Amino acid sequence: MPRRTIPDRAVEFLREWSVPRQMAGQDHRREAAESAMARHGRPRTEKADSVGTSICPYCAVGCAQLIYAKDRQPIAVEGDPSSPINQGTLCPKGAATMGLMTSPMRLDRVLHRAPHATEWREVSLDWAMDRIAHLTKQTRDESFVGDAPDGTRLNHTMAIGSLGGATLDNEENYLIKKLFTAGLGMVFVENQARV
Amino acid sequence: MPSLGTTFGRGAATMPQWDLARSDVVLVMGSNMAENHPIAFRFAMQAKLRGATLIHVDPRFTRTSAMCDIYAPIRAGTDIAFLGGIIHYLLENDLWFREWAVPYTNIATIIEDGFAGPEGDGTFSGWKEEETRYGTETWQYKGLTVPSPLAEAWMETGGDFAERVSHLRDGPPPRDETLQHPNCVYQIMRRHFARYTPEMVERITGCPRDLFLRICEAMARNSGRERTGAICYAVGWNHHSTGAQIIRAGAILMGLLGNVGRPGAGMLALRGHTSIQGSTDIATLYDLMPGYLPQPHALRPHGTLEEYLKVETAPTGWWSEFPKYAVSLLRAFYGGEASAANGWGYDWMPRIVGDHSMLPMTLAMDNGVMSGLFVMGQNPAVGGSNSKLVQRGLAKLEWMVVRDIAETDTATFWRDGHLIRDGEMRPEEIGTEVFLMPGSLSGEKAGSFTNTHRLVQWHDKVVDAPGDSTSELWFVDELGRRLRKLYAGSTRPEDQPIINLRWDYPRDEEDEPDAEAVLREINGHRCADGQLLSTFQDLKEDGSTACGTWIYTGVFPEAGKNLARARKADGPEGPGTHLGWGFAWPANRRTLNNRASADPDGRPWSERKKLIQWSEEKGEWSGPDVPDFPKDKRPDYQPNWEERPKGVAAHSGSEPFIMLADGRAGLFAPSGLKDGPLPEHYESVETPATNPLHPSMSSSPAAKRWDQQDNRLAPPGDPRYPHMLTTFRLTEHHSGGTPTRIVTTTAELQPEMFCEIPVELAGTLGIRMGDWVVLATERGEIETKAMVTSRLRPFRLPDGSECHQLALPWHFGWAGFATGDVANVLTSVVGDANTGMHENKSLACALRPGRLNRVQRPRREAR
């Protein structure tokens, strides 16, 4: 490629600069606004091999989102223009959803801190599930009260608590309530509704 | 929740967010809507463009204030005085919507002779000093006992409760539509609010009288046949020891102005978590079962299913259907093992014995009652009141499972928390076994959220969550499977509930439980053939139907038809109710109580404000929304009292509030509230001010207080804590902070904690912008940077002295990129009498320049 002279580059620059064209009377909302960058720019969602509908994970306004993915990894998250709630818009938190999904601080392994330990250690999901199930059963069995001394039925354990739910799916809340309350007899079951 | 429930029948926002665009006046109070719900605030702005008046009332001047036509500053915790003043103005100037409110509310209903307001000693009649609670006998409709429309209908009355409330079927409650009877609600309200004069409003709230009157005029001017208004509120109302009553005051105001059930009218509760409405409907709460059914209580007449149904079933109003919903829920929980003989599994259900909400839970951890804890997507070390007490509690647990998307402050309390930083303990001394498990986000799993206006919306699984991340659906299902294996074969009676739980959720090829299968269980089906149900009117009391949450019935009306996934919004020419987008409980109704959008004869109040109306040709209610009323009930229907009607048959065709026993909005709440049938201004539990209404009963006598070693409360007017403190949220951060403090963009926009300090106070204390300051309360001290600002202004206290208002964002902690001290170290475990909600919006504190002398500064680096 021949070396471009300074005048060549100046001409190219002026041709690419949209202001002179607009000053010359071209419509600033049409071709006059175009530049090489705009001409060659591609939509960031173009590489997606799938798109799915989602709901913003932050507040309860319930903005609809479109998640664009490639190889089952997110490449962009945008407001869903068809939603009557957000009509394609997102707030600073909602617009950060992509950053949330791909945050370098996302946890991807199960960590365990033994009593009195000063650091985490990595454990397998299966080991953790097994240990949690055993601890749950042990604590429940040690603390379960069938009847009060006066014979009133209690059927509960006060030794295990659960916090959370307001950031989770309805279906997840349902299973939490069903297993913890109806199954295990836990009474200390709460979420952020009072926070 | 109890406020809207006792007033309008359901504890949820009455209107969809987009309907704000049709309001003529929007009062934003207890909310910084422009910053915290920006997308919803667009609709208020659209209303403004169409000529509506926007009003913001708040201790802080925010971007919401900047966008509103009128901004009124009030001292934190004085909302009831302000709203009571507007009610006073409307009643005394006869500016309320009489044609609407007389037939549609209980304003003409006559109350028991023994009722007395708090004008004298600061308590309503029925106060039991030794038990620190109210008896509600004198709050009742004359000669009747009215069951609460909230989850728990039962209340202590002496005698047979079910028999007492059954008299509601004998005839209509006594009313005087001339409003002259001295004990009709109108006259009681006039007496009660007589003290809330503009002068008194100015003295208590610090809001200038003229400004206050401008707001009164704007509210009155924009209500009536042709015009409607809405209130948008958030936890700035809830988070007070009088929170439920603040919301009640707003609801009464809307009831007087006819601003419920109509286009552009209503109470919009703006909630902070994506499915906080869903987790209240399908309650992961100690006192509620899914669908607002009360958790059986050991100290109530709930011994057997028969007794439970007897006292919790309202004789009149929609709640008379209660047994169908309760039995169907038990059938969903216990499946085939439930039978009539064991009360459909009722006998296996745990009984609560008192308040088991988060504040008592904190104390249960601290005093060793609780030894194991699951924390799923919550961050109590940051979000829990009295954070140091929370952290001491966590340190006493034997084990804790934290499930979240990142290393949270709660998960690392043993390494980086205040116990370590303040030198109280070393990690080696903390015996808690901690599991930290990666969870997943919407988009990484399929499921539904219920938004702030009851709209259930599905999200797909589109991408994979990183590494070993799993959904809570998988975790709880897997834990259930493993526990059921461990308990298999046990014959011990206490193990029967877990063994007999119906727990057979199918998994897909990726080992993920089918979320739609769970939603179908929530929706309900016929037991015999599994046929899905399309309406809760098909639920049965005889055990032949199973339904996880009756108010959600219809979300999955037939196989393959998940209406939470429906995505057909109305076009620009459409009615704008968007019935084809998602599913709004109950029965896809978008505006609750919408029978009230028509006059008693069934005609629209005006062409401009029409929604639902009676069609004589079709013989039914019709319009662009689903009627929140029996579809074919004529407006001129009258109950035949000879037949002792039950359910909604005991309501006339012009009583729109179907969930309430008498079909009329409860301006006066005869039951359901623990701190008074009408809102009364009380100062917060900690305050530099004295209540001029009744100085000897300055704060709410019924508020829950746990004054103990680790949770000391400063007495009112304590000179050590001269400033008022409120907490707030930032646009760029979310609640406990985890999902934004770990995100680079939001962390960069709001990188660290600060304290808003008024210019005048900063000048007195020699504090400049960016200086380190220490805030202190009886619970603890924190250090942060000063943000000296004129967004806050000094207030005059009722005694004429000057008081400064400070404000702290509470999202911060030590985890993530954006860090800072924990505001909740300062707050206390003290609660609203009804909800147990804490009082983090109004407390007393001290402020000084400087830093704390700490063992360890919070870490900044990522793990």
Side-chain angles (χ1 to χ4, degrees):
Chain A
M1 194 173 173
R3 187 183 158 81
R4 290 184 302 171
T5 62
I6 288 173
D8 281 350
R9 290 164 71 178
V11 167
E12 188 181 322
F13 173 75
L14 284 174
R15 199 173 52 228
E16 275 304 313
W17 191 23
S18 70
V19 172
R21 278 181 279 151
Q22 291 174 41
M23 289 179 75
Q26 286 187 24
D27 186 348
H28 69 282
R29 286 165 304 191
R30 292 174 156 275
E31 293 77 14
E34 203 179 70
S35 66
M37 202 170 135
R39 248 189 324 275
H40 301 301
R42 303 302 314 163
R44 61 185 161 175
T45 54
E46 191 181 60
K47 290 205 172 73
D49 57 25
S50 65
V51 56
T53 61
S54 189
I55 303 298
C56 181
Y58 290 103
C59 86
V61 168
C63 296
Q65 299 177 323
L66 295 173
I67 298 180
Y68 293 85
K70 182 173 167 54
D71 301 329
R72 297 177 70 96
Q73 296 302 308
I75 59 169
V77 179
E78 301 195 340
D80 185 343
S82 62
S83 164
I85 296 174
N86 55 313
Q87 293 156 316
T89 62
L90 290 173
C91 79
K93 280 192 285 282
T97 306
M98 177 69 189
L100 173 64
M101 298 180 96
T102 57
S103 166
M105 287 194 171
R106 273 299 288 273
L107 189 67
D108 60 358
R109 293 284 171 265
V110 182
L111 302 178
H112 178 248
R113 185 254 177 186
H116 309 292
T118 57
E119 288 300 334
W120 294 116
R121 68 185 173 107
E122 251 182 59
V123 295
S124 75
L125 182 60
D126 185 60
W127 181 88
M129 288 307 302
D130 208 43
R131 174 113 183 107
I132 292 165
H134 276 94
L135 283 170
T136 305
K137 180 172 190 298
Q138 184 187 335
T139 305
R140 178 182 186 268
D141 292 350
E142 285 167 5
S143 60
F144 196 88
V145 186
D147 294 327
D150 68 357
T152 308
R153 180 164 304 180
L154 295 176
N155 270 358
H156 73 205
T157 169
M158 306 248 282
I160 313 176
S162 175
L163 280 175
T167 60
L168 310 178
D169 293 345
N170 290 323
E171 295 74 19
E172 295 175 328
N173 276 280
Y174 181 75
L175 288 199
I176 291 171
K177 186 70 178 181
K178 184 171 178 178
L179 179 67
F180 286 180
T181 301
L184 297 174
M186 287 162 52
V187 293
F188 279 112
V189 174
E190 277 284 288
N191 65 41
Q192 293 93 322
R194 283 180 248 261
V195 174
Chain B
M1 202 173 70
S3 325
L4 296 179
T6 51
T7 317
F8 305 129
R10 299 185 188 93
T14 68
M15 67 190 296
Q17 297 167 97
W18 51 68
D19 207 32
L20 282 178
R22 295 203 271 180
S23 302
D24 299 296
V25 61
V26 179
L27 171 63
V28 181
M29 195 167 167
S31 157
N32 176 8
M33 192 176 177
E35 295 186 48
N36 293 334
H37 297 92
I39 303 299
F41 192 65
R42 288 160 59 248
F43 298 114
M45 291 303 290
Q46 287 169 14
K48 188 182 178 187
L49 289 175
R50 296 178 189 181
T53 306
L54 265 54
I55 303 166
H56 191 218
V57 181
D58 202 273
R60 297 168 59 233
F61 184 89
T62 63
R63 282 178 278 185
T64 306
S65 324
M67 299 313 293
C68 284
D69 298 289
I70 309 174
Y71 165 66
I74 59 165
R75 183 167 57 86
T78 61
D79 305 61
I80 291 175
F82 194 92
L83 295 163
I86 305 178
I87 294 168
H88 169 81
Y89 175 91
L90 297 175
L91 291 175
E92 293 315 307
N93 294 293
D94 218 16
L95 291 170
W96 50 289
F97 190 2
R98 187 181 282 259
E99 293 162 284
W100 191 97
V102 170
Y104 290 170
T105 75
N106 65 6
I107 196 162
T109 307
I110 298 165
I111 304 301
E112 287 287 1
D113 297 337
F115 173 76
E119 298 91 311
D121 63 355
T123 59
F124 292 89
S125 53
W127 178 247
K128 299 175 181 181
E129 182 64 39
E130 61 293 345
E131 299 170 50
T132 61
R133 68 176 186 90
Y134 280 107
T136 59
E137 294 84 351
T138 58
W139 305 356
Q140 299 299 312
Y141 294 166
K142 191 171 170 59
L144 292 169
T145 299
V146 186
S148 157
L150 306 178
E152 190 179 83
W154 184 85
M155 57 190 173
E156 199 171 317
T157 50
D160 183 343
F161 176 73
E163 196 279 324
R164 290 180 77 117
V165 298
S166 73
H167 293 297
L168 284 162
R169 296 174 58 191
D170 297 344
R175 288 166 62 79
D176 172 16
E177 300 221 342
T178 68
L179 307 181
Q180 298 307 306
H181 191 287
N183 253 27
C184 75
V185 167
Y186 172 73
Q187 295 294 345
I188 287 174
M189 282 175 60
R190 282 193 66 195
R191 289 198 295 276
H192 180 83
F193 291 107
R195 297 160 297 149
Y196 292 73
T197 59
E199 294 74 23
M200 185 58 90
V201 170
E202 177 167 351
R203 197 173 155 203
I204 295 175
T205 68
C207 174
R209 188 189 151 169
D210 293 348
L211 195 51
F212 163 73
L213 287 172
R214 270 180 67 203
I215 292 171
C216 293
E217 286 158 13
M219 294 299 292
R221 193 174 58 241
N222 288 299
S223 302
R225 279 181 180 269
E226 295 286 341
R227 303 178 82 77
T228 54
I231 290 181
C232 301
Y233 73 93
V235 293
W237 270 6
N238 299 78
H239 290 171
H240 292 279
S241 59
T242 53
Q245 294 289 359
I246 298 176
I247 301 163
R248 270 278 295 156
I252 291 170
L253 182 58
M254 292 286 96
L256 278 174
L257 293 172
N259 279 335
V260 189
R262 304 176 59 207
M267 295 281 285
L268 184 59
L270 294 159
R271 294 163 156 242
H273 296 84
T274 185
S275 200
I276 194 153
Q277 183 66 50
S279 65
T280 311
D281 305 333
I282 304 174
T284 39
L285 295 170
Y286 81 91
D287 54 343
L288 292 180
M289 296 198 291
Y292 300 95
L293 313 181
Q295 186 72 34
H297 198 305
L299 309 179
R300 308 272 149 86
H302 288 174
T304 62
L305 178 65
E306 196 187 348
E307 292 170 275
Y308 172 78
L309 296 180
K310 187 177 164 205
V311 299
E312 296 299 344
T313 305
T316 57
W318 199 271
W319 276 119
S320 67
E321 303 283 294
F322 175 79
K324 300 175 181 174
Y325 310 147
V327 171
S328 296
L329 173 66
L330 290 165
R331 294 291 280 141
F333 276 174
Y334 296 113
E337 299 308 318
S339 67
N342 58 23
W344 304 109
Y346 179 84
D347 298 349
W348 295 322
M349 287 293 286
R351 273 58 165 167
I352 56 174
V353 292
D355 183 348
H356 306 296
S357 66
M358 182 165 167
L359 304 180
M361 197 187 297
T362 302
L363 301 171
M365 286 188 261
D366 194 50
N367 61 28
V369 169
M370 186 179 292
S371 47
L373 179 66
F374 293 92
V375 183
M376 298 189 254
Q378 189 167 347
N379 193 8
V382 168
S385 301
N386 195 343
S387 171
K388 273 188 87 166
L389 184 62
V390 172
Q391 294 178 58
R392 285 189 195 108
L394 298 180
K396 288 182 186 167
L397 291 171
E398 285 174 23
W399 55 270
M400 172 169 73
V401 179
V402 178
R403 292 188 44 85
D404 218 308
I405 49 171
E407 196 181 54
T408 65
D409 312 88
T410 299
T412 53
F413 81 95
W414 50 271
R415 189 186 68 201
D416 302 333
H418 282 90
L419 303 180
I420 314 301
R421 286 149 66 182
D422 293 348
E424 271 187 44
M425 291 181 99
R426 290 179 297 116
E428 295 85 340
E429 293 168 322
I430 295 175
T432 312
E433 180 173 354
V434 185
F435 301 83
L436 175 57
M437 305 180 74
S440 56
L441 293 160
S442 53
E444 296 166 351
K445 62 185 174 188
S448 66
F449 292 139
T450 305
N451 87 344
T452 205
H453 69 244
R454 302 169 281 102
L455 188 69
V456 188
Q457 299 184 104
W458 191 262
H459 56 82
D460 291 327
K461 176 177 162 64
V462 188
V463 295
D464 293 327
D468 283 340
S469 302
T470 53
S471 66
E472 304 315 298
L473 203 66
W474 181 88
F475 173 73
V476 181
D477 182 49
E478 182 67 20
L479 183 63
R481 289 178 177 213
R482 292 189 189 221
L483 280 166
R484 282 160 57 80
K485 244 179 233 166
L486 293 177
Y487 279 109
S490 167
T491 54
R492 298 188 311 170
E494 63 259 43
D495 297 342
Q496 298 317 300
I498 178 82
I499 290 170
N500 292 324
L501 215 55
R502 183 179 159 218
W503 203 264
D504 52 1
Y505 302 102
R507 299 251 180 122
D508 65 15
E509 62 280 6
E510 290 170 348
D511 201 34
E512 180 67 15
D514 180 2
E516 285 201 334
V518 181
L519 186 61
R520 286 194 294 269
E521 180 172 324
I522 290 169
N523 176 85
H525 64 272
R526 211 158 52 201
C527 296
D529 56 6
Q531 173 75 41
L532 289 165
L533 301 176
S534 59
T535 163
F536 45 76
Q537 283 165 285
D538 291 339
L539 293 171
K540 298 281 191 292
E541 188 184 342
D542 60 7
S544 65
T545 55
C547 173
T549 308
W550 72 273
I551 53 175
Y552 280 57
T553 304
V555 68
F556 217 126
E558 54 189 83
K561 196 170 177 186
N562 176 358
L563 291 183
R565 218 169 172 280
R567 287 292 184 274
K568 281 202 195 89
D570 294 345
E573 304 307 318
T577 42
H578 305 294
L579 294 179
W581 183 280
F583 173 88
W585 71 259
N588 209 19
R589 295 166 190 159
R590 303 298 161 122
T591 296
L592 294 181
N593 318 118
N594 55 26
R595 162 68 183 89
S597 68
D599 69 13
D601 298 328
R603 295 178 304 241
W605 290 101
S606 65
E607 187 59 25
R608 186 167 180 258
K609 294 290 176 183
K610 69 174 181 187
L611 184 62
I612 295 295
Q613 54 185 309
W614 176 254
S615 162
E616 195 61 51
E617 310 81 73
K618 292 192 218 157
E620 61 179 40
W621 294 92
S622 61
D625 198 359
V626 179
D628 187 10
F629 203 66
K631 201 168 166 57
D632 53 1
K633 186 173 185 174
R634 300 181 54 83
D636 56 7
Y637 166 84
Q638 288 298 329
N640 179 0
W641 295 106
E642 305 277 293
E643 291 173 358
R644 299 195 80 233
K646 65 180 271 201
V648 286
H651 292 166
S652 79
S654 59
E655 290 171 331
F657 294 85
I658 57 170
M659 303 309 291
L660 295 172
D662 58 337
R664 297 175 200 258
L667 298 189
F668 183 98
S671 52
L673 291 166
K674 297 184 174 126
D675 52 356
L678 288 171
E680 171 76 343
H681 168 67
Y682 293 105
E683 285 292 326
S684 48
V685 170
E686 275 190 350
T687 171
T690 305
N691 187 345
L693 296 176
H694 21 71
S696 62
M697 190 63 79
S698 200
S699 60
S700 171
K704 294 181 179 181
R705 293 167 172 83
W706 290 271
D707 203 350
Q708 60 174 58
Q709 175 71 29
D710 286 347
N711 189 54
R712 284 215 196 86
L713 300 171
D718 189 329
R720 293 174 301 161
Y721 305 107
H723 313 303
M724 301 240 23
L725 176 65
T726 193
T727 58
F728 66 96
R729 302 183 201 216
L730 300 162
T731 307
E732 296 79 6
H733 285 295
H734 182 258
S735 296
T738 308
T740 46
R741 284 193 273 128
I742 66 160
V743 179
T744 49
T745 49
T746 46
E748 189 173 342
L749 288 165
Q750 287 287 3
E752 62 176 330
M753 170 84 165
F754 57 89
C755 176
E756 288 193 354
I757 300 168
V759 174
E760 295 83 355
L761 179 63
T764 313
L765 296 175
I767 296 168
R768 287 160 310 167
M769 179 76 99
D771 282 358
W772 283 96
V773 292
V774 172
L775 286 104
T777 67
E778 279 292 82
R779 276 74 58 190
E781 297 186 322
I782 64 164
E783 60 178 16
T784 186
K785 299 262 185 77
M787 154 69 79
V788 179
T789 172
S790 52
R791 293 195 286 259
L792 293 165
R793 61 191 75 193
F795 287 100
R796 292 259 162 233
L797 295 181
D799 65 4
S801 62
E802 193 176 62
C803 172
H804 292 286
Q805 176 79 56
L806 307 179
L808 276 178
W810 67 270
H811 307 289
F812 296 95
W814 49 88
F817 297 118
T819 58
D821 216 334
V822 175
N824 271 316
V825 166
L826 301 172
T827 60
S828 66
V829 177
V830 53
D832 177 281
N834 305 290
T835 58
M837 197 81 88
H838 57 74
E839 189 162 46
N840 297 356
K841 293 295 175 201
S842 179
L843 55 150
C845 76
L847 173 74
R848 64 171 192 267
R851 297 200 71 173
L852 291 173
N853 183 21
R854 276 190 168 145
V855 174
Q856 187 190 336
R857 300 273 182 219
R859 294 185 183 202
R860 275 192 155 269
E861 73 278 17
R863 185 178 66 84

